[in-house]
Amino acid sequence: MLRQKGITTAQTILAIVVILLFILIIGRAINRRQDRQEGIRKSFWERILSKLPNQSPLPPSDGTSPAPTPPPTSQKFPTQTIDFFDATTVHPEARGFQLADYDPISRKVVFYPWGGVGTNPRGVILSYKADKNFLDKASYEASDLTQLIGPAAEGFGAGCLDQSGWFYLPAFRKDVGSGIQPNTLMIRYKGAKSVTDRSAYETFDVSVLGLPRTGWAPCIYQSGYVYYSPILQEGGTRILHGIFLRYNTSLAFNNQSAWSWYDIEKNVNSRAHAFQSMATKYPYVYLIPFGVGESLIVRYNVTKLFNSPSSYETFDIATLNNKVKGPTGGIVVGNTLVLVPWRDLSKKGTATIMSVAAAFDTTKSLSDKNAWKFFDANEKDPAAEGYQLGWADKDGFVHFVPQINSSRNVPPFIVWDSRQPFNQASSWMMYPSKGVSQSTGAAYDSGNNAAWLAPFGDNGSSGLITRVKIVFP
């Protein structure tokens, strides 16, 4: 009798193990193929995104705070080219400007008349049509406001632009034949009209407000008001003051009820005076310290009462870094306020020129030490010092306007990539400034990605405008 063949238990177990190993090997092969495909897809979209221009992050749906900006895939800086135009070919007194603004409504750049330091205030306002040839004299207009409006229309403390195309010229000083005197004549100019058209201007003499001190430089617009920065009252003796002035743009410019003032030196802080620049990031207006080696920054919450001390916040930046004194310029990029290093007038000679920039997180309290970062531009170049104002371009690069350094030369351009840490030298780039006149601020047009520097020169002698064209890959 023959024995029937059968499968033993050991054979059964071995077969199961072989089948499981086969399934495992096949599964791993499929996963590897999917990973390669996903990597291809990811690499494809990364390449696509790398070709797109940098965009500001969209706010979250609840609108409470901006979405975080993703870190860049690589650190690149823009290329920069410069060319020049001499405004004195348009008008012989078109020089010694203080700041400039670009109006996207009229597509016009306006340069604010200032003059020399302490003497020779000027009243020639200059405009340039940004859609015209920069190098063509016909693209410009100039007007002597002392002839068009009156002898007091001169020596303005820079200026500012509102959202409706009005340019504001703060009253600061004048010389109508008896030496430098305080000025109280406020002027605004409608950019849609020619600077030579008298009907384009409106005036108001703020002396009717009963102000204890006068003299403002510059101003800034926020939420329906133009705020004027208190600096000092000119005359036989220069008197620093803190008379913070504002104008309600919903009312006529010459309506006395549209104007209000508050003495922040008296009511907020005894050091709250002599500011030479301003910045704004809603809901705050920032007064940037200058004075005589001043380091006390002030911010006002525009949603609160203008004439209440509780609406204001102050902080002495020097308690964190004693080399941040006398900055001029506050540049806002995202939620960061950058202070531009200029001069510490408590020092003598070339020691007044400063090189340390500061960055503040505007979402935090002024006194929060973790909200502040610092960078000494001398780390990049010993000549990198002495800047006035600047701009943030559409790709998030912050540019300082070169004025003069301790060697009595125009410093190189310096630019911060705001996507990178503020206090690291690798986050900054230098550009040559050959041929550039000492300048005080700039107008910037994001559409053309170009800026026009306001020429000042040696004691207000220059009318040589520098155009900076920026290309970011």
Side-chain angles (χ1 to χ4, degrees):
M1 180 175 173
L2 297 175
R3 184 180 177 182
Q4 186 178 8
K5 293 182 179 180
I7 300 174
T8 66
T9 301
Q11 290 173 325
T12 300
I13 293 172
L14 179 61
I16 292 172
V17 169
V18 170
I19 291 170
L20 290 175
L21 287 172
F22 177 78
I23 292 172
L24 178 62
I25 292 170
I26 294 299
R28 292 182 65 182
I30 292 171
N31 286 338
R32 283 196 300 269
R33 181 179 181 186
Q34 289 176 337
D35 289 343
R36 286 195 301 271
Q37 290 175 336
E38 177 63 25
I40 292 170
R41 287 193 294 269
K42 182 178 179 181
S43 177
F44 171 77
W45 283 111
E46 285 178 343
R47 290 196 301 270
I48 291 297
L49 291 173
S50 70
K51 302 295 184 183
L52 295 176
N54 292 328
Q55 301 292 328
S56 299
L58 294 175
S61 57
D62 62 2
T64 56
S65 61
T69 303
T73 56
S74 62
Q75 188 170 348
K76 298 179 180 178
F77 284 88
T79 58
Q80 176 178 295
T81 60
I82 59 176
D83 52 4
F84 309 95
F85 178 79
D86 189 351
T88 62
T89 62
V90 181
H91 192 290
E93 291 299 305
R95 50 198 172 101
F97 296 101
Q98 190 89 342
L99 198 55
D101 276 311
Y102 170 74
D103 173 27
I105 298 174
S106 61
R107 294 189 54 78
K108 186 178 289 184
V109 178
V110 169
F111 298 86
Y112 302 109
W114 163 250
V117 176
T119 60
N120 193 25
R122 290 192 176 91
V124 174
I125 189 171
L126 179 75
S127 69
Y128 159 64
K129 285 289 290 182
D131 53 359
K132 303 294 184 181
N133 183 355
F134 172 68
L135 303 176
D136 186 353
K137 177 180 175 180
S139 303
Y140 297 79
E141 288 185 329
S143 181
D144 187 344
L145 300 184
T146 64
Q147 300 296 318
L148 188 68
I149 296 174
E154 63 178 10
F156 304 98
C160 62
L161 175 72
D162 72 12
Q163 63 180 6
S164 301
W166 283 99
F167 294 85
Y168 294 80
L169 288 74
F172 184 34
R173 60 184 183 147
K174 64 183 178 181
D175 184 353
V176 294
S178 56
I180 298 296
Q181 298 294 324
N183 201 343
T184 55
L185 183 65
M186 294 290 187
I187 296 177
R188 71 173 182 173
Y189 157 68
K190 189 65 172 179
K193 297 183 178 182
S194 168
V195 293
T196 63
D197 184 350
R198 179 60 182 87
S199 69
Y201 298 88
E202 296 180 359
T203 64
F204 179 67
D205 192 332
V206 294
S207 63
V208 299
L209 300 177
L211 303 165
R213 295 282 182 258
T214 64
W216 298 269
C219 54
I220 204 160
Y221 173 83
Q222 177 59 261
S223 303
Y225 287 86
V226 174
Y227 294 88
Y228 294 83
S229 176
I231 183 164
L232 61 87
Q233 180 168 295
E234 285 278 18
T237 301
R238 289 182 160 188
I239 304 172
L240 309 183
H241 70 84
I243 305 301
F244 195 24
L245 182 68
R246 73 174 183 177
Y247 159 65
N248 183 345
T249 61
S250 68
L251 301 177
F253 193 65
N254 61 356
N255 184 341
Q256 185 173 338
S257 299
W259 297 81
S260 54
W261 60 276
Y262 186 56
D263 190 341
I264 58 176
E265 180 184 42
K266 178 181 178 181
N267 298 296
V268 177
N269 190 298
S270 61
R271 292 168 56 191
H273 56 218
F275 305 95
Q276 189 167 258
S277 55
M278 303 178 75
T280 184
K281 174 71 176 180
Y282 185 83
Y284 298 108
V285 167
Y286 292 83
L287 295 159
I288 311 301
F290 183 64
V292 181
E294 190 54 75
S295 54
L296 185 84
I297 188 171
V298 178
R299 73 175 179 183
Y300 161 61
N301 187 329
V302 302
T303 66
K304 297 182 178 181
L305 290 174
F306 181 61
N307 59 350
S308 172
S310 63
S311 304
Y312 294 80
E313 185 182 355
T314 65
F315 179 65
D316 186 353
I317 308 169
T319 60
L320 300 179
N321 191 315
N322 63 9
K323 293 184 178 180
V324 181
K325 293 184 177 182
T328 292
I331 306 169
V332 175
V333 56
N335 287 324
T336 300
L337 170 65
V338 179
L339 305 187
V340 181
W342 172 221
R343 297 180 68 182
D344 176 0
L345 292 179
S346 68
K347 298 181 178 180
K348 302 296 183 182
T350 58
T352 65
I353 305 300
M354 306 304 289
S355 62
V356 176
F360 169 69
D361 182 347
T362 60
T363 66
K364 298 180 179 179
S365 167
L366 281 180
S367 59
D368 184 348
K369 66 179 182 179
N370 295 318
W372 291 92
K373 304 293 181 186
F374 304 95
F375 178 71
D376 190 341
N378 283 165
E379 291 184 28
K380 292 293 289 187
D381 188 330
E385 58 189 11
Y387 298 89
Q388 281 201 43
L389 305 142
W391 74 94
D393 71 28
K394 65 185 183 67
D395 295 304
F397 292 91
V398 175
H399 304 248
F400 292 177
V401 172
Q403 225 284 351
I404 193 170
N405 60 24
S406 57
S407 299
R408 310 303 296 173
N409 296 315
V410 175
F413 287 95
I414 187 167
V415 176
W416 171 51
D417 180 354
S418 67
R419 304 166 302 174
Q420 303 292 337
F422 185 79
N423 53 359
Q424 291 184 9
S426 60
S427 304
W428 297 77
M429 177 64 75
M430 313 294 297
Y431 298 87
S433 59
K434 183 179 180 180
V436 176
S437 174
Q438 299 173 33
S439 300
T440 57
Y444 172 71
D445 172 20
S446 60
N448 289 317
N449 209 10
W452 299 267
L453 275 55
F456 181 73
D458 184 11
N459 200 25
S461 62
S462 178
L464 188 66
I465 302 168
T466 302
R467 177 176 63 175
V468 180
K469 299 188 74 174
I470 307 146
V471 177
F472 183 65

